[in-house]
Amino acid sequence: MLSQLLKAEETYILKYMQLGETQKMSQTGFGAAIPGVVVTQEATPADVVTVGAPILGKDVAVLVLKVEGKAKSPDAAPGR
């Protein structure tokens, strides 16, 4: 049974899978936590400007956020 499933999956992939150019896309997630309300998040596209070496075991990157149609961009203090 397992070999039949693997063969069916292989046949499906070979018939329908298409390879093309890949695109790298980064997004940030911002949300609001309000007591008694379901937490919602909004994905915001971001360009990775530069990536540095890990500092104290944490990855470091500089992002440029594309916030369209918003009155104010989200702010975050360094180190958070």
Side-chain angles (χ1 to χ4, degrees):
M1 175 79 170
L2 179 59
S3 63
Q4 290 173 327
L5 287 173
L6 291 174
K7 182 64 177 169
E9 181 180 24
E10 178 185 346
T11 302
Y12 180 84
I13 288 172
L14 291 175
K15 183 173 182 178
Y16 294 107
M17 188 169 83
Q18 297 178 1
L19 298 177
E21 290 187 36
T22 59
Q23 296 178 346
K24 181 179 179 182
M25 182 175 58
S26 299
Q27 292 186 336
T28 59
F30 294 97
I34 302 169
V37 178
V38 176
V39 176
T40 59
Q41 286 190 340
E42 180 179 334
T44 303
D47 287 332
V48 178
V49 176
T50 186
V51 177
I55 297 175
L56 299 175
K58 296 187 178 194
D59 292 332
V60 176
V62 176
L63 303 175
V64 174
L65 302 178
K66 298 176 183 177
V67 182
E68 298 176 11
K70 299 287 182 184
K72 183 180 177 195
S73 298
D75 298 326
R80 286 195 176 173

